[in-house]
Amino acid sequence: MANYAMALEYQNCIDCRACEVACKDENQVMLGADKQRIWVGVVEGGKTLADMFVNFYPSQCNHCIDAPCVTACPTGASHFVEGGIVKVDYDMCILCKGCMEACPYEARFIDETRHAVDKCTFCDGRTQEFGTTACSATCPTKVRTFGDLDDPNSLLRKTLESREFFVLKENEDTLPKLFYLVPQDEEYRNRTMGKGIKTHTWSDMAPKYEAATAKRRTEWKKA
């Protein structure tokens, strides 16, 4: 059984927002700039015209192995399905917002058309048919690599085994499955990562992730 995850070559992001449009179209996400399953964060800086810069950080639900949103949900609406994907059962959601408060990544929003909390699902329906997400398939600069974290022959695993990466808010101990690849350009790396960000190789992270996944897999429901 697959264990889905995504690596982000964020240095390649050009802020075209094609991923956001593809996501809305594929998943019938309600319109509105504040209603996004995925988004691109923008950070601007510099004090003079000569050193001004703009950094782009694609983001979405991290489909954490130890997802605090699932633990916080009082009704079981937030749950794990096959592939380790975190989903929301709209019929069980009571809009208590507990999951929204528990999520360290602010990856959830209220969909007034469904009267429930909504979020990224890694395009689980599309993934079963085409093997990848709408955002990954649409990105013109190949920022997103989606695949099976447990398959050593997948492009995702080969990418993680060949590159250093970091995860967001590692101190939350959620074991997120969104991996940000360390930029190969040194200047860009220094500007976008800042100080104190811990980088990893797959060989040093694999034992922790594999053990946690094996333990959590018993909670995966049929998609």
Side-chain angles (χ1 to χ4, degrees), residues 56-78:
F56 303 123
Y57 301 93
S59 194
Q60 61 199 70
C61 170
N62 281 242
H63 294 281
C64 309
I65 297 175
D66 292 332
C69 57
V70 174
T71 303
C73 180
T75 67
S78 290

Side-chain angles (χ1 to χ4, degrees), residues 71-91:
T71 303
C73 180
T75 67
S78 290
H79 61 285
F80 298 100
V81 298
E82 292 173 337
I85 296 171
V86 179
K87 291 194 69 176
V88 177
D89 185 326
Y90 302 132
D91 293 332

Side-chain angles (χ1 to χ4, degrees), residues 35-151:
K35 309 296 183 182
Q36 299 280 21
R37 286 188 175 190
I38 66 174
W39 65 93
V40 177
V42 179
V43 176
E44 299 178 352
K47 296 181 179 180
T48 68
L49 186 61
D51 64 5
M52 290 180 64
F53 63 84
V54 179
N55 298 331
F56 303 123
Y57 301 93
S59 194
Q60 61 199 70
C61 170
N62 281 242
H63 294 281
C64 309
I65 297 175
D66 292 332
C69 57
V70 174
T71 303
C73 180
T75 67
S78 290
H79 61 285
F80 298 100
V81 298
E82 292 173 337
I85 296 171
V86 179
K87 291 194 69 176
V88 177
D89 185 326
Y90 302 132
D91 293 332
M92 296 178 68
C93 180
I94 58 175
L95 286 175
C96 69
K97 301 182 182 180
C99 62
M100 295 176 69
E101 294 177 2
C103 176
Y105 307 103
E106 299 181 357
R108 294 171 170 242
F109 64 93
I110 294 175
D111 186 332
E112 285 85 1
T113 65
R114 292 183 168 115
H115 305 288
V117 170
D118 198 18
K119 58 177 288 299
C120 163
T121 64
F122 269 164
C123 293
D124 56 332
R126 188 186 194 283
T127 298
Q128 296 299 321
E129 185 175 359
F130 298 108
T132 192
T133 63
C135 60
S136 180
T138 303
C139 180
T141 57
K142 307 303 180 185
V143 169
R144 302 164 184 270
T145 301
F146 176 80
D148 182 359
L149 194 59
D150 292 346
D151 180 3

Side-chain angles (χ1 to χ4, degrees), residues 199-217:
T199 63
H200 300 278
T201 62
W202 183 242
S203 60
D204 70 62
M205 292 290 272
K208 185 176 183 179
Y209 270 72
E210 289 170 356
T213 299
K215 182 178 179 181
R216 186 67 70 181
R217 209 180 278 268

